[in-house]
């Protein structure tokens, strides 16, 4: 099974997320990750969808998404010609004695401490999936209270493959 990351530029209209996600559900394709956000132009949103399958299934997914009414453009984000990142927030139980160990561990991963309480600390980190999984793995020595991940998002490198909209 291969993984494919699609960057989908869509009209920013009500129901567009449901229509794209519904296409996957109707065809029994799984979405590994999905992020959506408004672009610099509020008329459009960018969806980053990560799906898994063999070449035939992934090609079929791409073609079916391109046919949707609200879709303006679909790009396949190849790992070597794109920048892809994920955000994770991790709340870890800690007392004053453990706090410095957690802060030191976070700094190794260039993570930020975004909240400190008497009994917990919240870490924010961005990066590739492997980096974030390594951070979580090392924090498993502490008690992870909550964890939230955004899912993958990305853009193609350079200015050659940019879609200019009116």
């Amino acid at each position: 099974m291969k993984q494919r990351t699609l960057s989908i530029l869509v009209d920013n209209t009500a129901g567009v997320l449901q229509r794209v996600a519904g296409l996957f559900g109707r065809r029994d394709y799984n979405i590994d990750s999905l992020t959506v956000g408004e672009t610099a132009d509020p008329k459009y949103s960018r969806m980053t969808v990560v799906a898994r399958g063999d070449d035939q299934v992934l090609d079929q997914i791409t073609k079916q998404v391109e046919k949707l009414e609200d879709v303006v453009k679909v790009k396949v984000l190849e790992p070597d010609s794109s920048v892809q990142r994920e955000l994770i927030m991790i709340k870890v139980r800690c007392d004053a004695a453990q706090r410095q160990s957690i802060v030191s561990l976070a700094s190794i991963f260039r993570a930020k401490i975004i909240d400190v309480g008497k009994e917990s600390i919240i870490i924010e980190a961005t990066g590739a999936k492997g980096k974030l999984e390594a951070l979580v793995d090392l924090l498993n020595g502490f008690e992870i209270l909550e964890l939230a991940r955004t899912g993958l998002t990305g853009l193609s490198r350079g200015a050659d493959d940019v879609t200019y909209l009116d």
Side-chain angles (χ1 to χ4, degrees):
M1 296 270 269
K2 294 183 178 181
Q3 183 174 304
R4 181 172 289 174
T5 304
L6 300 176
S7 178
I8 308 167
L9 190 64
V10 296
D11 294 326
N12 191 5
T13 57
V16 68
L17 173 60
Q18 186 273 330
R19 286 187 285 282
V20 172
L23 177 139
F24 281 79
R26 285 189 305 277
R27 287 164 177 76
D28 205 27
Y29 301 142
N30 191 40
I31 296 174
D32 290 347
S33 173
L34 171 66
T35 59
V36 184
E38 198 173 83
T39 65
D41 183 341
K43 294 187 297 187
Y44 303 98
S45 291
R46 181 171 315 281
M47 298 178 145
T48 306
V49 179
V50 180
R52 196 178 300 274
D54 60 27
D55 286 329
Q56 181 181 357
V57 166
L58 294 173
D59 289 342
Q60 187 67 26
I61 289 171
T62 305
K63 289 174 185 173
Q64 292 296 316
V65 169
E66 287 172 336
K67 291 179 183 180
L68 290 173
E69 182 178 323
D70 299 308
V71 172
V72 177
K73 178 155 180 146
V74 177
K75 286 189 222 178
V76 176
L77 295 181
E78 300 294 346
D80 58 342
S81 60
S82 66
V83 178
Q84 299 180 32
R85 296 290 186 265
E86 185 176 356
L87 168 84
I88 190 170
M89 292 176 23
I90 310 163
K91 184 186 295 183
V92 181
R93 182 182 309 279
C94 69
D95 56 26
Q98 296 172 311
R99 192 167 292 121
Q100 187 54 49
S101 296
I102 294 171
V103 169
S104 296
L105 183 61
S107 71
I108 292 169
F109 288 87
R110 295 188 193 139
K112 297 176 187 175
I113 304 302
I114 58 171
D115 186 66
V116 177
K118 289 182 180 180
E119 298 177 359
S120 67
I121 192 165
I122 299 177
I123 301 166
E124 172 188 88
T126 59
K129 186 176 182 176
K131 171 188 170 182
L132 301 182
E133 288 174 353
L135 173 60
V136 170
D137 188 49
L138 289 173
L139 287 170
N140 274 330
F142 301 94
E143 183 183 355
I144 295 176
L145 298 171
E146 292 183 285
L147 186 144
R149 297 178 90 142
T150 61
L152 197 66
T153 192
L155 293 171
S156 57
R157 293 183 185 273
D160 296 337
D161 194 21
V162 175
T163 301
Y164 295 96
L165 303 167
D166 300 334

